[in-house]
Amino acid sequence: DGGITQSPKYLFRKEGQNVTLSCEQNLNHDAMYWYRQDPGQGLRLIYYSQIVNDFQKGDIAEGYSVSREKKESFPLTVTSAQKNPTAFYLCASQGTSGSRGKDEQFFGPGTRLTVL
Amino acid sequence: GENVEQHPSTLSVQEGDSAVIKCTYSDSASNYFPWYKQELGKRPQLIIDIRSNVGEKKDQRIAVTLNKTAKHFSLHITETQPEDSAVYFCAASDSWGKFQFGAGTQVVVTP
């Protein structure tokens, strides 16, 4: 299960505060992803980055921001503009296998964010 | 964009019986179809995957089938055991690598 880590495991935030979730990988993967998981709704894509210094919005980007200054790191900031931020947040990274193209996504252990 | 539907949302099976989960996708450009298993409070982990140039793939008690024409793929678990109890997600991906996940299936294996 090593290779991609997230911190903290649990995070509590007061309404109106921004908070940043950490995601680090040592798998030398170019692509990284942030998902939000709510009960019964599967995994919804927030932001993704295919390469350093570049990232794109996913399906539910409003109220979130990201940066990709280093290949190993893809932090997610949950801003006060996010209306319902309480959720389980999963980070993933993905490599490329030559002619086979993109490979499986490896997930971090997740961060459970609760807004008080 | 891609849309993936997954059924059923919950599945209860007797230990030793088989379980089948079905997914459909909308984008004919999708060419990679992984299945993930997520135990309670843990990260999703890949259990099997299939690419669009293959119709079926098997790994011990689990198998996946793909029908490109009908745009659907299925996960089959045989001889289910209590440790198979988890949430299972299907996904579809094109060559860019972005996944669209199904909503998940809660599988409960009863002794």
Side-chain angles (χ1 to χ4, degrees):
Chain A
D1 284 349
I4 180 165
T5 59
Q6 292 182 242
S7 62
K9 186 173 182 180
Y10 298 97
L11 189 56
F12 298 89
R13 188 196 93 178
K14 293 181 180 179
E15 278 193 33
Q17 288 182 337
N18 293 356
V19 64
T20 298
L21 283 58
S22 168
C23 178
E24 304 278 334
Q25 54 98 1
N26 62 4
L27 300 168
N28 199 33
H29 286 169
D30 286 316
M32 297 186 73
Y33 301 80
W34 273 106
Y35 295 93
R36 171 182 172 137
Q37 186 173 30
D38 296 283
Q41 292 196 42
L43 301 168
R44 292 186 291 167
L45 183 63
I46 305 172
Y47 267 98
Y48 64 105
S49 169
Q50 302 279 20
I51 199 167
V52 176
N53 292 323
D54 188 42
F55 50 83
Q56 287 81 39
K57 293 181 179 180
D59 300 322
I60 55 165
E62 185 175 352
Y64 300 97
S65 66
V66 294
S67 63
R68 187 83 189 278
E69 298 176 0
K70 297 188 300 182
K71 188 175 187 178
E72 303 79 20
S73 179
F74 190 40
L76 173 74
T77 296
V78 184
T79 75
S80 56
Q82 168 50 233
K83 302 294 184 194
N84 184 21
T86 294
F88 188 50
Y89 291 87
L90 285 160
C91 178
S93 71
Q94 182 182 48
T96 303
S97 291
S99 60
R100 294 196 314 167
K102 295 290 188 181
D103 271 345
E104 68 176 284
Q105 291 186 9
F106 291 86
F107 285 87
T111 292
R112 189 165 298 278
L113 173 65
T114 302
V115 174
L116 303 173
Chain B
E2 176 66 275
N3 181 46
V4 176
E5 295 192 358
Q6 182 173 347
H7 299 281
S9 57
T10 58
L11 181 58
S12 183
V13 295
Q14 203 80 17
E15 182 177 358
D17 288 349
S18 295
V20 180
I21 303 170
K22 298 182 178 182
C23 289
T24 61
Y25 62 99
S26 60
D27 189 351
S28 57
S30 291
N31 57 14
Y32 176 62
F33 307 91
W35 285 89
Y36 284 81
K37 175 183 180 182
Q38 186 179 28
E39 295 177 1
L40 189 62
K42 295 191 176 180
R43 72 186 84 190
Q45 293 198 306
L46 182 76
I47 55 171
I48 196 167
D49 57 10
I50 192 168
R51 295 187 186 271
S52 58
N53 57 349
V54 176
E56 184 174 359
K57 185 176 178 181
K58 190 174 182 180
D59 182 3
Q60 299 183 336
R61 294 188 297 108
I62 58 173
V64 57
T65 59
L66 171 65
N67 184 326
K68 283 176 56 180
T69 303
K71 295 198 190 77
H72 66 71
F73 55 113
S74 301
L75 178 72
H76 305 253
I77 307 173
T78 59
E79 301 172 22
T80 53
Q81 300 168 6
E83 52 264 38
D84 294 329
S85 295
V87 178
Y88 292 81
F89 294 97
C90 65
S93 168
D94 62 19
S95 58
W96 292 103
K98 193 173 80 167
F99 286 10
Q100 187 70 42
F101 284 89
T105 296
Q106 174 75 62
V107 173
V108 177
V109 180
T110 53

